Amino acid sequence: MRKQFIQQSNSQKRAKNFFDTITSDGTLQIIVGQDNSGTFLLWQDEYYMELYLAVCNMSIKLSKVNTINFLKWLKGNKQDLSFLIHPVFGQECLALNAEELSKKIVSNMDSDGDYYDTLRQNDLL
């Protein structure tokens, strides 16, 4: 029921849930979808991704990536990339560039020393 509520909420609530989930100690992963448009689609859970794919009728490449590895990739990638956060087909969603996305992920991580040690070790802070 909670997942259905999140799926039906506005883009800001979906984005908050996305950032809370991908930076939680129990998850720390992102599902990345890429169509041929140069825009990446980001989800925190297969449930939401499957709902999107069921209605979009597009060919999308999917990957499940550790959040720290994703941050490393963002930092090293010099392309002008766009990211849609928890897209729901036919609804508005938060769109960010790589720098904005990276800052939001890092700022959402708990002040747990382990997270920050890991980020520093990977030259992300």
Side-chain angles (χ1 to χ4, degrees):
M1 187 68 175
R2 175 171 156 61
K3 288 186 178 191
Q4 290 175 341
F5 173 74
I6 292 167
Q7 187 70 2
Q8 295 167 356
S9 64
N10 67 39
S11 64
Q12 294 302 317
K13 287 181 183 176
R14 289 194 319 269
K16 180 183 177 343
N17 180 263
F18 170 82
F19 288 110
D20 288 348
T21 303
I22 67 163
T23 58
S24 75
D25 193 26
T27 308
L28 210 60
Q29 71 179 14
I30 301 172
I31 298 171
V32 181
Q34 183 181 17
D35 57 16
N36 292 323
S37 72
T39 299
F40 290 85
L41 311 169
L42 304 179
W43 295 277
Q44 69 275 29
D45 187 293
E46 287 90 351
Y47 173 84
Y48 306 116
M49 173 207 65
E50 288 171 358
L51 289 175
Y52 185 87
L53 295 176
V55 295
C56 78
N57 291 325
M58 296 185 332
S59 176
I60 297 177
K61 296 177 198 170
L62 297 168
S63 302
K64 191 181 286 188
V65 183
N66 174 279
T67 303
I68 301 299
N69 291 337
F70 184 75
L71 283 170
K72 287 173 71 173
W73 177 79
L74 280 177
K75 185 174 183 178
N77 195 319
K78 303 303 180 201
Q79 296 174 308
D80 185 24
L81 302 173
S82 297
F83 300 88
L84 299 179
I85 309 304
H86 189 141
V88 172
F89 195 78
Q91 293 185 28
E92 205 175 293
C93 66
L94 180 64
L96 300 171
N97 65 35
E99 183 178 341
E100 294 166 329
L101 178 59
S102 182
K103 285 180 182 178
K104 277 207 169 277
I105 292 171
V106 171
S107 71
N108 204 72
M109 290 194 161
D110 295 334
S111 59
D112 182 341
D114 291 341
Y115 278 119
Y116 285 99
D117 290 344
T118 302
L119 292 174
R120 281 188 200 91
Q121 288 169 0
N122 288 289
D123 195 27
L124 297 169
L125 279 181

